[in-house]
Amino acid sequence: MKLKYTSHFLALGTLLTLACGTDTEKKQQFQVADFEPHVIALSADEMMGRMPFTEGETKTVQYIESEFKKLGLKPGNGDSYFQDVPLVSIKTTPAPTMSIKSQGGNYTLEGLKDYVLWTQRTDSLVAFEDAEIVFAGYGIVAPEYGWNDYENLDVKGKIVMVIVNDPGFGSTSTDLFKGNTMTYYGRWTYKLEEAARQGALGTLIIHDTEPAGYGFNVVQNSWNGSKLYLDNRGKDIYKATFEGWVTLPTAKQIFEWAGMNGDEMLAQAKVKGFKPVSLGLKASSSMTVTASYAVSKNVIAMVEGTKKPNEYLVYTAHWDHLGIGKPDASGDSIYNGALDNASGIAALMALGKAFNENKPERSVVMLAVTAEEQGLLGSAYYAQNPIFPKERTIANINIDGVNHIGKMKDVSLIGPGQSDLEDLLEDELQKRGRYSAPEPTPSAGYYYRSDHFNFAKVGVPALYFGTGIDHAEKGKEFGLKAQQDYITNHYHKPSDGYKPGDWDLEAALEEIDLYFHVGQRLVNSEVWPQWKEGSEFKGIRDAYMKK
């Protein structure tokens, strides 16, 4: 079956000329009872912080399944509401040092202080000896920008050292990538993936606090810890021997040992046409590995479309949080995750009820994913193993926290300039006398840090927006202060709990209504939203949709 895939301009024009909704659609009213009870239940101490592979997971996914059934939503995976997500937990214990050989002598780097290493391999011992180090600039292959740091470079059996972020960082001009707005190519995860695609033995990312968006202490906190990954046993997927970071001073020292000026090399890498260079250095180190395997679950429900049931809009929210951990000053050790992201799952429930009462022409999927806090793993597994084909998925709308502060004039648009979806969002906002504002720190790359990103990686247009700061009555200063208070005092802390009266539930319902009407216009139309020109995901979608 050939699906309709209209041009960017036709799709955009059609979307924006659609009516806000029929009289029947406009009658949909979200009630506190559609939302609050789910927040209370999911953030209760009895859910034990909703950590994967714990009793808390079992209780959480059973609750979500039960509520989907009560709402009359169909199971999303055949006769089941579950999709198994096989994961592996890898604990890496690196050697305390890394040795570096040069023509001028031998040197030693100190683990944790100078660098951090880990591996995705599950061998009990992982080692590398006298591996050549190559400086590959930003480690980027971006055809749409005419940029290839790996051009004519064979890195098999070699270590690539690359710079965090992308060449546009610090620039006010969008002539170089997207200027100070981070692209996908700036994410450290992309650099590791690209190096592996190139067959590199290992990767060292040069850390710099400002372009990374966080200090090296954040990287150090992962030292010797366990990391979760998708269990890819039986698949022909190459994993580099190791992955890691080096501090900026350490990288400059490495350049000096190679007889080069570090500042000059870093500056040259920002210039189009930069050629990678071997440093003439050999590195050696090792690590021991312990691996264990388990299966977590995504929870999936759907409302079948009345006219085009084989075309799908997927809403996502992650059900997991951080479990039981270090007690806070009050002695509370349960990380309840009320806002992050019991509120998102509660929004899914409200949306599922609304779409079931206002039958859509296209099918609507409610996907509650696991292990977001562990690296977006549940959505990554779904994107790689979709129940509903990406070729038939019109869009993804992701919910990671619902406005609880108060009614806002704005929303914070994450990753502006990516797809038609943001224009549709803006149109809906204008009808409400509201507006979208760019995310406050575009260089941090938040578009690549939540579950919608895995849909984008396989070409599905994905929308993500957050609570704004322009409070309808108290202004931007109040809204910004409230946001900062949450980040400083409650984010990923036991105090992210729910107390009746603390949240502005009318504001939350207003946001859910916005999610609903954006989605309703998508599922009751003929067009397919598309990536904008210049998006790093446009070519992926075009390649399989135009076959």
Side-chain angles (χ1 to χ4, degrees), residues 140-189:
I140 290 173
V141 179
E144 66 271 32
Y145 295 110
W147 196 284
N148 188 350
D149 285 322
Y150 287 99
E151 189 172 8
N152 300 321
L153 177 65
D154 182 1
V155 296
K156 292 180 176 63
K158 301 174 184 178
I159 299 169
V160 292
M161 190 166 71
V162 298
I163 309 169
V164 72
N165 215 301
D166 64 43
F169 176 78
S171 172
T172 57
S173 171
T174 56
D175 292 338
L176 191 60
F177 285 67
K178 292 184 178 179
N180 207 36
T181 297
M182 183 191 287
T183 65
Y184 168 40
Y185 304 109
R187 282 291 287 152
W188 62 272
T189 51

Side-chain angles (χ1 to χ4, degrees), residues 355-487:
F355 278 108
N356 205 32
E357 293 173 350
N358 299 267
K359 297 297 185 184
E361 295 181 7
R362 287 165 161 156
S363 294
V364 178
V365 177
M366 301 297 165
L367 174 58
V369 295
T370 184
E372 187 270 353
E373 302 288 6
Q374 306 295 322
L376 316 182
L377 298 179
S379 57
Y381 185 82
Y382 178 88
Q384 295 173 23
N385 305 272
I387 293 169
F388 307 102
K390 63 181 183 295
E391 296 86 356
R392 297 177 181 274
T393 301
I394 61 170
N396 166 244
I397 299 176
N398 185 51
I399 307 173
D400 196 351
V402 175
N403 177 19
H404 70 301
I405 297 171
K407 292 189 177 183
M408 298 288 177
K409 296 179 182 179
D410 65 334
V411 301
S412 178
L413 180 59
I414 311 300
Q418 287 287 3
S419 80
D420 292 343
L421 295 171
E422 59 204 63
D423 301 293
L424 178 56
L425 170 66
E426 185 67 35
D427 194 55
E428 280 296 319
L429 285 167
Q430 288 180 6
K431 291 173 181 176
R432 293 161 169 76
R434 302 178 65 191
Y435 66 97
S436 66
E439 57 188 303
T441 53
S443 62
Y446 286 112
Y447 190 80
Y448 316 106
R449 298 188 184 190
S450 196
D451 288 304
H452 65 284
F453 175 46
N454 284 311
F455 284 83
K457 286 174 70 174
V458 297
V460 176
L463 178 67
Y464 177 40
F465 62 89
T467 302
I469 62 169
D470 193 356
H471 193 277
E473 297 177 356
K474 301 178 182 179
K476 293 181 180 179
E477 184 176 349
F478 172 85
L480 181 60
K481 184 177 180 180
Q483 291 270 25
Q484 292 173 337
D485 174 71
Y486 172 74
I487 294 296

Side-chain angles (χ1 to χ4, degrees), residues 263-282:
D263 290 329
E264 291 178 0
M265 295 303 296
L266 297 175
Q268 290 175 21
K270 294 179 74 74
V271 179
K272 193 172 184 178
F274 166 80
K275 302 298 181 185
V277 58
S278 174
L279 301 185
L281 304 175
K282 306 287 186 180

Side-chain angles (χ1 to χ4, degrees), residues 87 214 234 482 501:
L87 300 173
Y214 42 81

